[in-house]
Amino acid sequence: MWFWYGHGGGGGWGWFAATVGMVLFWALVITVGVLLFRALSRSGPAGDGEPGRGHPGWHPEGPSPGGPPDAERILAERYARGEIEDEEYQRRLAVLRSSRAGPAAPDAPKP
């Protein structure tokens, strides 16, 4: 079919265009395949509690260098983002710190 018009496809430009088109086509197919594989292997649906199933060390919330975040760090992050007000932050922080000391000892029974 290339040789129907002009006996040679326009001096070699037809072969060049076909080669470039084929390379671009396969590059597109491979890129889509890789992106699909990465998207499907990352993690399950949101909220399933299984972060980073396919990629060790990947967490949807970002890396946590000091291990799992503790309650005070989460509270401080919420306060920094403006999700809670000053009074609520102070109240919740006091509750967290008082619960860390353990429950109060019950009063001794009276004889």
Side-chain angles (χ1 to χ4, degrees):
M1 290 185 81
W2 287 100
F3 301 106
W4 287 10
Y5 304 105
H7 301 288
W13 287 107
W15 288 104
F16 177 75
T19 303
V20 170
M22 187 61 66
V23 168
L24 290 175
F25 170 77
W26 283 112
L28 178 67
V29 168
I30 291 170
T31 301
V32 168
V34 168
L35 291 176
L36 270 172
F37 175 77
R38 289 181 65 194
L40 294 175
S41 68
R42 242 189 212 159
S43 66
D48 70 348
E50 199 175 338
R53 183 173 61 205
H55 301 283
W58 182 84
H59 300 283
E61 306 87 30
S64 56
D70 61 345
E72 284 189 24
R73 185 182 312 158
I74 293 172
L75 186 62
E77 289 173 359
R78 290 188 62 203
Y79 178 67
R81 286 192 299 259
E83 293 177 9
I84 56 176
E85 298 294 324
D86 295 337
E87 297 81 21
E88 185 177 359
Y89 172 73
Q90 294 298 332
R91 182 177 52 82
R92 290 183 181 212
L93 187 61
V95 168
L96 285 173
R97 289 184 175 165
S98 68
S99 67
R100 194 178 292 164
D107 292 335
K110 295 183 181 182

